[in-house]
Amino acid sequence: MSSPVHHVAVLALDGVYPFELGIPSRVFGAADGRYEVRTCALDGPSVRTNADFSVTVDHGPELLTDADTVVIPPFDTARITRHPSPTLRAALDSLRPDTRLVSICTGAFVLASTGLLNDRPATTHWALTDTFRTWFPRVRLDPDVLFVDDGDVLTSAGAASGVDVCLHLVRRDHGTRVANHVARVCVVPPWRDGGQAQYIEHPVPDPDRTGTAPTRQWALEHLAEPLSLADLAAHARMSRRTFVRRFNEEVGLSPGRWLTAQRVERARHLLESTDLTVDEIAGRIGFATGTSLRQHLRTALGVSPITYRRTFRGAPDPVPSGEPPIPTRAIGFPIPTSRTSLDIRRTPS
């Protein structure tokens, strides 16, 4: 029996960025009918973009009341306000309590202005963090990540991070196989390394300076091996200190955190696409034991390997006593942010 279609409403505000406005339809629309994406406006069908044209929107704010997910794309920074208009507040107040909220870039200001981000982790474009912190001190802002998943509320950084967060939701809802298919259709990477710290303005680097990209590619081809920081630095022909500094500059994560994220992602793919045991998967991706894999998967996703496999593959493995199966429509996997502490046993820090 197929799952019900997930209804996504995209709220186009005056000054909306056209590129980001189209991201939800493009990404969710490539998921083979699993989502229905419609766009709405607050005040009439014509919405002025931040470019030299307007768009015509077929739906009004009443569309929000029946949405399973509401996406708020970014809009021109000149239109950012600390307090929402009565019309906007009324529209957001009409949402069902179980509606999932997603913001892209300046869309986080909308959620924060209504108090929806109070005492929650969130992100927005790095260039706006000073204003955001001043206006909304109760929000736990993390300007270094591409997006933050806080269960029913997700916030993302600028522009292309809207693709990242929408792909993440497809992966969260339907698993790695479907998300990878969507990424191929859209001709984008299934996920990007690191966070937006790598995009913050820095002095122009020396063009002759060696980067860490070749070593990252080499590491992905050798995940089964017990890669140490010394191994990575030696491959890059750098000292450990230089390698760690350049890795953080380019990726926004330490080498150890990056390796763990790649191994967890590979584990998800193998759980969905093979019948390998947990111990066999651990051996193929570089975790010392199946217990280590279980710990890392639970830290990253909040579930055991067996539960993850049952959700996204329908394998006949029994669910451990006391652990309920994951619902297939609204899966609240917590995603570790840049401050999450991980127990990295075979990876360098």
Side-chain angles (χ1 to χ4, degrees):
M1 181 177 177
S2 60
S3 300
V5 173
H6 189 100
H7 297 282
V8 179
V10 183
L11 179 58
L13 300 173
D14 282 337
V16 67
Y17 284 60
F19 171 70
E20 290 90 329
L21 177 64
I23 287 174
S25 178
R26 188 71 184 89
V27 174
F28 294 126
D32 296 333
R34 293 175 171 85
Y35 301 88
E36 178 189 59
V37 184
R38 294 184 291 174
T39 304
C40 64
L42 294 179
D43 304 302
S46 180
V47 177
R48 186 71 188 174
T49 72
N50 80 317
D52 62 340
F53 58 87
S54 298
V55 294
T56 300
V57 179
D58 292 339
H59 306 282
E62 66 279 356
L63 186 69
L64 300 174
T65 61
D66 295 323
D68 299 308
T69 293
V70 171
V71 181
I72 304 177
F75 49 93
D76 197 293
T77 55
R79 298 175 182 267
I80 294 175
T81 61
R82 188 181 301 198
H83 305 288
S85 68
T87 303
L88 177 57
R89 178 173 287 279
L92 294 179
D93 285 345
S94 71
L95 300 177
R96 301 195 321 255
D98 61 341
T99 302
R100 185 166 62 185
L101 297 173
V102 182
S103 70
I104 304 173
C105 192
T106 55
F109 280 78
V110 172
L111 299 181
S113 70
T114 60
L116 290 169
L117 296 182
N118 284 349
D119 305 314
R120 305 185 75 148
T123 194
T124 189
H125 194 288
W126 61 266
L128 303 171
T129 55
D130 289 343
T131 300
F132 194 96
R133 283 194 174 110
T134 300
W135 286 4
F136 311 114
R138 288 186 59 183
V139 181
R140 303 202 305 272
L141 185 69
D142 187 344
D144 296 331
V145 295
L146 294 175
F147 61 85
V148 172
D149 181 339
D150 195 38
D152 59 339
V153 178
L154 298 92
T155 52
S156 62
S161 66
V163 177
D164 296 316
V165 73
C166 289
L167 271 176
H168 166 72
L169 284 175
V170 174
R171 185 178 297 109
R172 200 177 94 168
D173 291 346
H174 300 289
T176 301
R177 182 184 60 81
V178 175
N180 287 348
H181 167 74
V182 169
R184 285 193 296 270
V185 171
C186 296
V187 197
V188 296
W191 73 89
R192 287 191 291 163
D193 298 334
Q196 62 174 320
Q198 60 192 306
Y199 302 105
I200 296 174
E201 292 179 349
H202 296 294
V204 177
D206 182 349
D208 297 326
R209 191 178 74 170
T210 303
T212 65
T215 296
R216 278 180 271 140
Q217 182 59 41
W218 173 80
L220 290 175
E221 296 167 358
H222 295 81
L223 281 183
E225 301 173 15
L227 300 174
S228 67
L229 179 57
D231 295 330
L232 298 174
H235 182 273
R237 299 184 179 182
M238 302 177 191
S239 69
R240 296 187 189 186
R241 180 176 297 179
T242 299
F243 178 77
V244 170
R245 183 179 72 252
R246 292 188 183 174
F247 198 100
N248 273 283
E249 289 173 353
E250 295 175 17
V251 178
L253 294 173
S254 71
R257 285 179 52 85
W258 179 84
L259 268 176
T260 297
Q262 306 312 309
R263 285 172 167 150
V264 168
E265 189 64 28
R266 187 74 60 82
R268 292 172 67 169
H269 172 71
L270 292 174
L271 285 168
E272 294 178 31
S273 61
T274 74
D275 293 319
L276 295 172
T277 67
V278 172
D279 287 340
E280 288 171 334
I281 292 174
R284 289 196 178 196
I285 63 176
F287 286 130
T289 64
T291 298
S292 179
L293 169 56
R294 291 183 184 93
Q295 290 173 341
H296 284 299
L297 197 73
R298 190 173 290 278
T299 297
L301 306 180
V303 296
S304 69
I306 288 177
T307 303
Y308 184 86
R309 175 172 271 169
R310 289 186 79 255
T311 298
F312 290 118
R313 192 159 180 261
D317 311 63
V319 178
S321 177
E323 182 167 6
I326 310 171
T328 57
R329 284 200 68 211
I331 307 167
F333 288 163
I335 299 300
T337 66
S338 60
R339 294 182 178 83
T340 300
S341 175
L342 297 177
D343 176 22
I344 302 172
R345 296 186 177 184
R346 295 182 68 183
T347 54
S349 60

